[in-house]
Every structure is written in C-alpha cells, then in structure tokens.
Amino acid sequence: MRRVLVLMLLVLAPIPVAARPAWACSCASGFDPLERAETAFVGVVQEVDGDLWDSRVDVRFAVESVLKGDVDDSVTLATEKHEASCGYRFVEGGRYRVYATDDRTNSCDGNELLATGVEVEDTDRSQIFWAGSVLVVLLVAGGVTWLIRHPRAR
C-alpha cells in the first residue's frame, strides 16, 4: 500500500505544474471586421461599468468618427467581463477602433487599441493557477518526506 501511495504521489504531482489554464474563447480569422460589423467607429472610453456578479460589462464611448452605421456622439456597448469568454478589455481613457453588432462587441470582432488610457488593475487568474500549483508541489514534497522519515515497521 505504501508503494502505491508513493507511486501515486510521484505520478500525479507534476500534473498541475504541466497543465496550462484553459481559455474558452477562440476566434475565426481571415475576415474584414468592417464588412462584418453593423456599426464601426473610433472613440474614447468614458466609463467601464460592470456589476461584480454580472458576466457583462457596459462600456460608454465618446465617438470621434463613424466608420460604418448610424452612431451618436456617445455610444454604450456591452461585452463579456472576461477575456476567456471572448470579452474585450477596454480601459477608461483608451482610444479604440470598435466594431459592433446589436450593441455588443467582443474580442473576436477585430477591435483595436489606438492609444492607451489609464490602466485599471485586473485580477490575473494565472497567478491563482501558479499559487495552487506551488501548494500542490509543497504538499506532495511534504508527503514524500513524511513517508521517508516514518518507515513502516515490519
């Protein structure tokens, strides 16, 4: 039984270190974003507003120039909060070329950052992943050390 436990620890320990975070979003390529969009404009982000529990973020733009469609001086678009869900991370004060359909935009629509704004701190989930991986490795190392120091009496 002891050998099986040691073998399991040695086999399973590298899994969290070798694994990478999974991202659910994948985009098609080779299309013209202006052709596919219902509206397109160049604008500056005035406000990024999202509820803590909601997966959606509303982004208000001050429109500088219209590339396609009927767009007012101020436009509010919705996007997903997280990039893994194809959300586009807009930064307040940033100047963007934005492509939208049905008052929504996402990272697959071809949006472009033209000038940076004030950076807003966001949670980096890869830090959580690596912290968990380190914790698992420490636990496995502690378990192996315990097994070595406490040999089974016969």
Side-chain angles (χ1 to χ4, degrees), residues 22-40:
W23 304 109
C25 183
S26 62
C27 303
S29 60
F31 67 91
D32 179 15
L34 187 60
E35 205 172 280
R36 195 168 83 169
E38 185 179 281
T39 58

Side-chain angles (χ1 to χ4, degrees), residues 10-22 129-134 136-137:
L10 292 175
V11 170
L12 297 177
I15 291 174
V17 176
R20 297 284 182 251
F129 169 78
W130 287 113
S133 297
V134 168
V136 168
V137 168

Side-chain angles (χ1 to χ4, degrees), residues 75-142:
V75 173
T76 300
L77 297 177
T79 188
E80 295 300 316
K81 184 181 287 185
H82 303 290
E83 293 171 11
S85 300
C86 294
Y88 192 89
R89 187 169 173 250
F90 290 101
V91 176
E92 287 185 18
R95 186 170 177 260
Y96 295 87
R97 182 176 297 121
V98 182
Y99 303 95
T101 302
D102 296 327
D103 295 329
R104 295 189 65 82
T105 189
N106 62 49
S107 60
C108 296
D109 286 338
N111 300 320
E112 297 175 64
L113 174 64
L114 302 176
T116 60
V118 178
E119 186 67 28
V120 177
E121 188 161 332
D122 192 17
T123 304
D124 184 8
R125 296 199 184 274
S126 65
Q127 291 176 350
I128 296 169
F129 169 78
W130 287 113
S133 297
V134 168
L135 180 62
V136 168
V137 168
L138 290 175
L139 287 172
V140 168

